[in-house]
C-alpha cells in the first residue's frame, strides 16, 4: 500500500483523475487477467503495444538519472534500469512465444492511438528536462499498475498472465513506486506565487492526460479486435 501525505501534492493529483484511475484499475482486462480468461488475441495486442513503451521508458529513467536533484535518487534510477533488462524484457520474450507473436509482429507494429499518445507524453517528458514532469509520468505508469497488481484475487495458471501480474506487485515493486511517489511529493512546488501555481497546473494537466491514456490503452486492446 502506497502512502501519501494527507492534503499533499500527490493526493491532489490523484484526486484530479480519480474516475479514469478507478476505471483502469477495475478494467475488464484486469479482471480477466486474474481469471486467466484474457483471449490470446487480446493479450497479444496488449503486449505488442505495451512493448513499444520499452525504449521510451528507458529514456525516461535515463533522463531522471540526468535531471534528479539528489545523488541518491540518481543512483536509484540507475538501479531500476538494470531491473528492466533482467526481468521485464525476459517476460516479454516468454509471453510473446506463449501467445504466438513473432519478432516481426512486435518489432515495428502500427501503433494504436493510446499507444502513440502515451509515447508522445513520455517523449515530451524527456524533452522537457523537467524532473517533476518525468516523475508525474513515471508515477502514473508504475503506481496505477501496482494498484491493480495488488488486488486480492486468486492467481491464474498460465505464465503469460501470472508473469504480468507478478511484475506489478511485491515488496520490491511497491518500494520502487513509493520512492517515485515520495520524490514527486518532494519536488512539486508549494506556495501561491505565480510560478508555483503555473507549475502545479501544468503537472495536473499532464497527470490527467496520462491517466486518461492508460484507461484508453486497456480499452483499445479489445476494441482493435472488432475493427
Amino acid at each position: 500500500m502506497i502512502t501519501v501525505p494527507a492534503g499533499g501534492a500527490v493526493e491532489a493529483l490523484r484526486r484530479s483523475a480519480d474516475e479514469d484511475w478507478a476505471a483502469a484499475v477495475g478494467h475488464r482486462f484486469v479482471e480477466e487477467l486474474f481469471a486467466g480468461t484474457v483471449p490470446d488475441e487480446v493479450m497479444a495486442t496488449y503486449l505488442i503495444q505495451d512493448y513499444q513503451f520499452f525504449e521510451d521508458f528507458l529514456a525516461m529513467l535515463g533522463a531522471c538519472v540526468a535531471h534528479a536533484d539528489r545523488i541518491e535518487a540518481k543512483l536509484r534510477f540507475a538501479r531500476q534500469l538494470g531491473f528492466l533488462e533482467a526481468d521485464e524484457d525476459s517476460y516479454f520474450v516468454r509471453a510473446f512465444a506463449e501467445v504466438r507473436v513473432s519478432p516481426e509482429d512486435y518489432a515495428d507494429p502500427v501503433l494504436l492511438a493510446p499507444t502513440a499518445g502515451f509515447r508522445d507524453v513520455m517523449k515530451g517528458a524527456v524533452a522537457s528536462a523537467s524532473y517533476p514532469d518525468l516523475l508525474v509520468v513515471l508515477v502514473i505508469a508504475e503506481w496505477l499498475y501496482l494498484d491493480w497488481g495488488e488486488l486480492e484475487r486468486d492467481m491464474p495458471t498460465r505464465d503469460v498472465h501470472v508473469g504480468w501480474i507478478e511484475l506489478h506487485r511485491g515488496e520490491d515493486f511497491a518500494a520502487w513506486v513509493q520512492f517515485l511517489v515520495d520524490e514527486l511529493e518532494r519536488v512539486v512546488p508549494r506556495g501561491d506565487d505565480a510560478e508555483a501555481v503555473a507549475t502545479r497546473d501544468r503537472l495536473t494537466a499532464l497527470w490527467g492526460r496520462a491517466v486518461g491514456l492508460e484507461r484508453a490503452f486497456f480499452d483499445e486492446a479489445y476494441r482493435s479486435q472488432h475493427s
Side-chain angles (χ1 to χ4, degrees), residues 140-174:
I140 292 164
E142 301 287 59
W143 190 12
L144 191 150
Y145 277 58
L146 176 68
D147 257 13
W148 65 252
E150 288 188 327
L151 292 172
E152 294 185 4
R153 302 282 194 278
D154 292 335
M155 290 292 281
T157 57
R158 291 178 62 190
D159 182 59
V160 67
H161 304 135
V162 174
W164 195 238
I165 295 168
E166 289 186 340
L167 278 172
H168 300 104
R169 60 165 45 187
E171 291 183 6
D172 289 345
F173 188 58

Side-chain angles (χ1 to χ4, degrees), residues 46-219:
Y46 176 92
L47 291 175
I48 288 169
Q49 294 295 309
D50 196 279
Y51 193 68
Q52 307 314 306
F53 299 131
F54 194 74
E55 184 175 345
D56 294 312
F57 198 84
L58 292 177
M60 284 204 302
L61 293 180
C64 286
V65 174
H67 301 298
D69 57 347
R70 293 182 177 177
I71 187 65
E72 296 84 1
K74 291 176 182 287
L75 292 171
R76 184 66 182 86
F77 286 112
R79 289 198 300 273
Q80 194 67 17
L81 282 165
F83 164 79
L84 286 178
E85 180 181 7
D87 291 346
E88 185 155 331
D89 199 42
S90 64
Y91 164 78
F92 276 108
V93 172
R94 300 194 315 273
F96 284 141
E98 187 170 343
V99 294
R100 296 182 174 82
V101 172
S102 70
E104 293 76 20
D105 292 328
Y106 63 79
D108 188 26
V110 174
L111 299 183
L112 300 176
T115 310
F118 204 84
R119 286 193 67 181
D120 286 345
V121 165
M122 297 166 84
K123 290 177 187 296
V126 172
S128 75
S130 163
Y131 188 41
D133 287 53
L134 287 159
L135 284 169
V136 162
V137 181
L138 284 170
V139 164
I140 292 164
E142 301 287 59
W143 190 12
L144 191 150
Y145 277 58
L146 176 68
D147 257 13
W148 65 252
E150 288 188 327
L151 292 172
E152 294 185 4
R153 302 282 194 278
D154 292 335
M155 290 292 281
T157 57
R158 291 178 62 190
D159 182 59
V160 67
H161 304 135
V162 174
W164 195 238
I165 295 168
E166 289 186 340
L167 278 172
H168 300 104
R169 60 165 45 187
E171 291 183 6
D172 289 345
F173 188 58
W176 161 243
V177 176
Q178 186 69 64
F179 160 75
L180 292 173
V181 168
D182 291 346
E183 282 291 281
L184 181 58
E185 184 70 38
R186 180 177 67 82
V187 301
V188 173
R190 273 74 172 167
D192 297 324
D193 58 283
E195 183 176 358
V197 171
T199 299
R200 290 197 300 271
D201 287 347
R202 185 187 78 246
L203 295 176
T204 300
L206 177 59
W207 182 281
R209 172 162 169 71
V211 174
L213 286 167
E214 288 282 11
R215 177 183 183 177
F217 186 80
F218 286 119
D219 291 339

